[in-house]
Amino acid sequence: YNFWRPMTAIRDGASDGNSDTDGDISWNAVTAGRAIPPLPSYPSGYAAAGKAGAEICKMFFGTDNKSFTVESYTLPGVERSYISFSQLADDMALSRIYVGHNFRNDNIAGVKMGEEIANYVFENNLQKLKKHSEHKYEWIKSDASCNEI
């Protein structure tokens, strides 16, 4: 996991041991106004989070095809519409490449990890409830007693 981020690779390209690459010390990520996260580039946490969220929604709703619109939290008033949860997850992963935070391989690993996390969480934590009365529920897969909601 000791991989450099695109910013380091591009700026220090002349010192990477490959005579075919040149560095560009003035290069900045698109998000240069904000700090690049002090996290490993590999795997991409943003890609993992996007894929995990998309997979959990897909399993919960029983389909990937749900249309919805989200508003940017960094650009208030800017909205983006999607026709599936996977489309949003793909955008989230690709955005990390476009802004210069991750390489494609970071995103491939993050997406794989996100899918595995979603499957684990859905199978082990998001269990169906059996309704006993108006305010009483019981976990179907566990020995838990009824919990009032």
Side-chain angles (χ1 to χ4, degrees), residues 137-149:
Y137 295 85
E138 176 185 344
W139 294 113
I140 291 175
K141 291 185 182 178
S142 73
D143 294 331
S145 60
C146 294
N147 296 312
E148 193 166 332
I149 296 180

Side-chain angles (χ1 to χ4, degrees), residues 1-41:
Y1 301 105
N2 193 18
F3 298 123
W4 55 3
R5 285 192 177 272
M7 182 159 69
T8 307
I10 293 168
R11 287 182 175 177
D12 295 344
S15 63
D16 66 358
N18 182 348
S19 60
D20 291 333
T21 58
D22 294 320
D24 181 355
I25 59 171
S26 64
W27 186 87
N28 272 317
V30 172
T31 57
R34 297 188 316 241
I36 290 180
L39 306 167
S41 179

Side-chain angles (χ1 to χ4, degrees), residues 57-149:
C57 288
K58 185 168 79 172
M59 289 183 279
F60 179 82
F61 289 107
T63 182
D64 189 30
N65 300 319
K66 290 276 188 183
S67 296
F68 59 98
T69 300
V70 295
E71 183 175 337
S72 172
Y73 66 90
T74 57
L75 299 169
V78 175
E79 293 182 338
R80 182 126 189 173
S81 295
Y82 296 94
I83 60 170
S84 70
F85 301 119
S86 294
Q87 186 184 22
L88 172 61
D90 291 345
D91 268 7
M92 289 178 67
L94 286 173
S95 74
R96 303 299 91 190
I97 295 171
Y98 297 152
V99 299
H101 287 201
N102 295 103
F103 291 107
R104 185 166 302 280
N105 193 49
D106 304 335
N107 288 350
I108 291 169
V111 165
K112 183 178 186 293
M113 184 171 69
E115 188 168 4
E116 291 170 359
I117 290 169
N119 287 327
Y120 180 85
V121 167
F122 195 83
E123 290 299 319
N124 294 284
N125 298 95
L126 297 179
Q127 302 170 7
K128 291 184 179 180
L129 295 174
K130 180 179 177 185
K131 189 171 184 178
H132 286 282
S133 66
E134 187 177 347
H135 297 289
K136 300 254 183 196
Y137 295 85
E138 176 185 344
W139 294 113
I140 291 175
K141 291 185 182 178
S142 73
D143 294 331
S145 60
C146 294
N147 296 312
E148 193 166 332
I149 296 180

